[in-house]
Amino acid sequence: MRVVAVTGTRDTGHLRPDAYAELFRSYLGPFATRDARFYVGGAKGIDSLSLIWLAGNTPAAITVVVPGRVDQQPDEARQAIARTRDRIEEVVELRAPELKTPAYHARNRWMVDRAGMTIGFPHHSEESSGTWQTLNYTRDQGKPRLIVPV
């Protein structure tokens, strides 16, 4: 089974929704086969957009991973999870005691540790973001990463 972690910016308002659909079709689509699993963080932005796209356009298995609990996620993320619940195979709640940077980094490492590769959609102005932390951790683990700036 091919396992892919998806990471990306929470700031997605600078592109139209159809632009993200085209990016996902081009860069997630080739990996989203029946024998694939995607780990998607349960945040707003790329996490929610890619979750909805994967659920509606691919046969791949989907696991949503949140640092705390789903009910602690932003509205956009909770709505995306609810909307695609019938396609989500598993929701992993890591139950961090505090939702601060270390909890998000732990969630990112959890996904990368279980994936064979990471596809990241960083915003060009967020050089020190969690997206880059995840992509750099992937590199440090000797795993491939596909970087698609948005």
Side-chain angles (χ1 to χ4, degrees):
M1 174 176 272
R2 176 179 311 177
V3 183
V4 179
V6 177
T7 186
T9 182
R10 292 184 179 124
D11 179 18
T12 56
H14 58 285
L15 294 178
R16 297 177 327 277
D18 60 322
Y20 289 105
E22 184 56 36
L23 286 171
F24 298 150
R25 187 174 12 268
S26 296
Y27 296 102
L28 298 181
F31 300 98
T33 60
R34 188 168 306 288
D35 65 337
R37 170 177 306 280
F38 281 80
Y39 286 121
V40 179
K44 67 179 193 162
I46 291 294
D47 288 358
S48 293
L49 294 171
S50 65
L51 170 60
I52 291 167
W53 188 86
L54 286 164
N57 296 283
T58 77
I62 303 167
T63 298
V64 175
V65 185
V66 298
R69 298 182 319 272
V70 169
D71 65 6
Q72 295 172 299
Q73 295 306 108
D75 287 341
E76 176 186 329
R78 286 195 319 271
Q79 290 170 10
I81 292 167
R83 180 175 162 188
T84 59
R85 192 63 185 114
D86 62 325
R87 280 282 289 115
I88 297 171
E89 189 169 295
E90 181 181 20
V91 175
V92 176
E93 296 179 309
L94 296 177
R95 299 196 174 269
E98 288 187 302
L99 293 183
K100 295 186 175 182
T101 300
Y104 294 103
H105 287 185
R107 186 263 326 262
N108 298 343
R109 288 190 306 272
W110 191 98
M111 294 192 311
V112 170
D113 288 347
R114 288 156 180 80
M117 72 173 296
T118 300
I119 301 176
F121 298 86
H123 191 275
H124 68 282
S125 66
E126 299 172 346
E127 297 291 325
S128 63
S129 68
T131 301
W132 279 108
Q133 178 269 333
T134 306
L135 290 166
N136 292 336
Y137 182 73
T138 301
R139 178 201 60 215
D140 295 347
Q141 298 306 303
K143 296 180 180 183
R145 59 191 185 150
L146 175 57
I147 302 169
V148 185
V150 296

